[in-house]
Amino acid sequence: MINLRKGAVTKTVPTGAGAKSVATEPRSGRILVANRTTATVTVVDPRKGAVVDNLTTGANPNHVHVAHGAAFVAAKSGSGPEGQDLLHRFPLGH
C-alpha cells in the first residue's frame, strides 16, 4: 500500500504467488488480485491493510475485472471441457 501524498510505501499485504492483475471494487474499495501461480483471487481490504478472502479459480488466472457487483476472472489455461479458456464470475457481497 502506498501513501501517494507522501510517496511512501506504508504497508505490504502478501497475496498469492504470481500476482498478475489487479482490480478495485468501487462500492467497498476492496482490491482484488489475480494470482496466476496459486490459481486464486485475493481480496484485500485497504482500510485494514489485510487479506479478507481468497477465492479459488481455474488454473492460470490472468485477468480480473469488476462490473455489476461481480468479479470476472479469465483463466487462460485451456482447461475447459473442449480445451477452451474459462471465465469465472464471483458475486461480491454488499
Side-chain angles (χ1 to χ4, degrees), residues 8-88:
V9 175
T10 58
K11 182 162 185 124
T12 300
V13 179
T15 63
K20 179 103 174 140
S21 177
V22 177
T24 303
E25 199 286 307
R27 291 179 108 189
S28 68
R30 290 186 171 173
I31 299 164
L32 293 93
V33 181
N35 306 302
R36 187 167 172 81
T37 306
T38 56
T40 61
V41 170
T42 300
V43 182
V44 176
D45 183 332
R47 291 177 185 91
K48 295 178 181 177
V51 172
V52 294
D53 204 357
N54 277 297
L55 309 170
T56 301
T57 67
N60 303 321
N62 272 22
H63 309 286
V64 60
H65 180 77
V66 175
H68 309 289
F72 297 89
V73 181
K76 310 262 308 197
S77 64
S79 63
E82 297 174 11
Q84 68 271 49
D85 294 337
L86 301 174
L87 180 66
H88 301 277

